[in-house]
Coordinates of all heavy atoms in Angstrom, one line a residue:
P18 N 180.7 50.4 30.7 CA 180.4 51.1 32.0 C 178.9 50.7 32.5 O 178.0 50.5 31.7 CB 180.4 52.5 31.7 CG 181.3 52.6 30.4 CD 181.0 51.4 29.7
L41 N 183.8 52.9 34.9 CA 183.5 54.2 34.4 C 184.7 54.9 33.7 O 184.7 56.1 33.5 CB 183.0 55.1 35.6 CG 181.8 54.6 36.3 CD1 181.4 55.5 37.4 CD2 180.6 54.4 35.4
P45 N 190.6 60.6 32.9 CA 189.7 61.6 32.3 C 189.7 61.6 30.8 O 188.7 61.9 30.2 CB 190.4 62.9 32.8 CG 191.2 62.5 34.0 CD 191.6 61.1 33.8
T46 N 190.8 61.1 30.2 CA 190.8 61.0 28.7 C 190.0 59.8 28.2 O 189.6 59.9 27.0 CB 192.3 60.9 28.2 OG1 192.9 59.8 28.8 CG2 193.0 62.2 28.6
D47 N 189.8 58.8 29.0 CA 189.1 57.7 28.6 C 187.6 57.9 28.5 O 186.8 57.3 27.8 CB 189.3 56.5 29.5 CG 188.8 55.2 29.0 OD1 188.8 55.0 27.8 OD2 188.2 54.4 29.9
L48 N 187.1 59.0 29.2 CA 185.7 59.3 29.3 C 185.4 60.2 28.1 O 185.9 61.3 27.9 CB 185.4 60.1 30.6 CG 183.9 60.5 30.8 CD1 183.0 59.3 30.9 CD2 183.8 61.4 32.0
I49 N 184.5 59.6 27.2 CA 184.2 60.3 25.9 C 182.7 60.7 25.8 O 182.3 61.4 24.9 CB 184.6 59.5 24.7 CG1 183.9 58.2 24.7 CG2 186.1 59.3 24.6 CD1 184.1 57.3 23.5
G50 N 181.9 60.3 26.7 CA 180.5 60.6 26.7 C 179.7 60.4 28.0 O 180.0 59.5 28.7
L51 N 178.8 61.4 28.3 CA 178.0 61.3 29.5 C 176.7 62.0 29.2 O 176.7 63.2 29.0 CB 178.7 62.0 30.7 CG 177.9 62.0 32.0 CD1 177.5 60.6 32.5 CD2 178.7 62.7 33.1
T52 N 175.6 61.3 29.3 CA 174.3 61.9 29.1 C 173.4 61.6 30.3 O 173.4 60.4 30.8 CB 173.6 61.4 27.8 OG1 173.4 60.0 27.9 CG2 174.4 61.7 26.6
I53 N 172.6 62.6 30.7 CA 171.6 62.4 31.7 C 170.3 62.9 31.2 O 170.2 64.1 30.8 CB 172.0 63.2 33.0 CG1 173.3 62.7 33.6 CG2 170.9 63.1 34.1 CD1 173.8 63.5 34.8
H56 N 170.5 64.6 27.8 CA 171.3 65.8 27.6 C 172.8 65.5 27.9 O 173.1 64.8 28.9 CB 170.8 66.9 28.6 CG 171.5 68.2 28.4 ND1 172.7 68.5 29.1 CD2 171.2 69.2 27.6 CE1 173.1 69.7 28.7 NE2 172.2 70.2 27.8
N57 N 173.6 66.0 27.0 CA 175.1 65.8 27.1 C 175.6 66.6 28.2 O 175.6 67.8 28.2 CB 175.7 66.1 25.7 CG 177.2 65.7 25.7 OD1 177.7 65.1 26.7 ND2 177.9 66.1 24.6
C58 N 176.2 65.9 29.2 CA 176.8 66.6 30.4 C 178.3 66.4 30.4 O 178.9 66.6 31.5 CB 176.2 66.0 31.6 SG 174.4 66.2 31.7
L59 N 178.9 66.1 29.3 CA 180.4 65.8 29.3 C 181.2 67.0 29.6 O 182.2 67.0 30.2 CB 180.8 65.2 27.9 CG 182.3 64.8 27.8 CD1 182.6 63.7 28.8 CD2 182.6 64.3 26.3
L60 N 180.7 68.2 29.2 CA 181.4 69.5 29.4 C 181.6 69.7 30.8 O 182.7 70.3 31.2 CB 180.6 70.6 28.7 CG 181.3 72.0 28.8 CD1 182.6 71.9 28.0 CD2 180.4 73.1 28.2
A62 N 181.6 67.3 33.2 CA 181.9 66.1 33.9 C 183.4 66.1 34.4 O 184.3 66.7 33.8 CB 181.8 64.9 33.0
I70 N 182.0 59.7 39.2 CA 182.1 60.8 38.3 C 181.2 61.9 38.8 O 180.1 61.6 39.3 CB 181.7 60.4 36.8 CG1 182.6 59.4 36.2 CG2 181.6 61.7 35.9 CD1 182.1 58.9 34.9
I84 N 171.1 57.4 33.0 CA 172.5 58.0 33.1 C 173.4 57.1 32.2 O 173.6 55.9 32.6 CB 173.0 58.2 34.5 CG1 172.0 59.0 35.3 CG2 174.4 58.7 34.4 CD1 171.0 58.3 36.1
I85 N 173.8 57.6 31.0 CA 174.6 56.7 30.1 C 176.0 57.3 30.1 O 176.3 58.5 29.8 CB 174.0 56.7 28.7 CG1 172.5 56.3 28.8 CG2 174.8 55.9 27.8 CD1 172.3 54.9 29.3
V86 N 177.0 56.4 30.4 CA 178.4 56.7 30.4 C 179.1 56.0 29.2 O 178.8 54.8 29.0 CB 179.1 56.4 31.7 CG1 180.6 56.7 31.6 CG2 178.5 57.1 32.9
T87 N 179.9 56.7 28.4 CA 180.6 56.1 27.3 C 182.1 56.3 27.5 O 182.5 57.5 27.7 CB 180.1 56.7 26.0 OG1 178.7 56.6 25.9 CG2 180.8 56.0 24.8
T88 N 182.9 55.2 27.3 CA 184.4 55.3 27.5 C 185.0 54.7 26.2 O 184.4 53.9 25.5 CB 184.8 54.5 28.7 OG1 184.5 53.2 28.6 CG2 184.2 55.1 30.0
K89 N 186.3 55.0 26.0 CA 187.0 54.5 24.9 C 187.3 53.0 25.2 O 187.2 52.2 24.2 CB 188.4 55.2 24.8 CG 188.3 56.6 24.3 CD 189.7 57.2 24.2 CE 189.6 58.7 23.8 NZ 191.0 59.3 23.7
G92 N 183.3 51.4 25.8 CA 182.2 51.7 24.9 C 181.0 52.3 25.7 O 181.2 52.9 26.8
K93 N 179.8 52.2 25.1 CA 178.6 52.8 25.7 C 178.0 51.9 26.8 O 177.9 50.7 26.6 CB 177.5 53.0 24.6 CG 176.3 53.8 25.1 CD 175.4 54.0 23.9 CE 174.2 54.8 24.3 NZ 173.2 55.1 23.2
G94 N 177.8 52.5 27.9 CA 177.4 51.7 29.1 C 175.9 51.7 29.3 O 175.1 52.2 28.5

Side-chain angles (χ1 to χ4, degrees):
L41 300 182
T46 57
D47 189 37
L48 182 64
I49 61 175
L51 175 60
T52 61
I53 301 176
H56 184 270
N57 187 5
C58 300
L59 184 61
L60 184 62
I70 298 175
I84 301 94
I85 305 300
V86 178
T87 305
T88 61
K89 294 178 181 180
K93 187 176 182 180

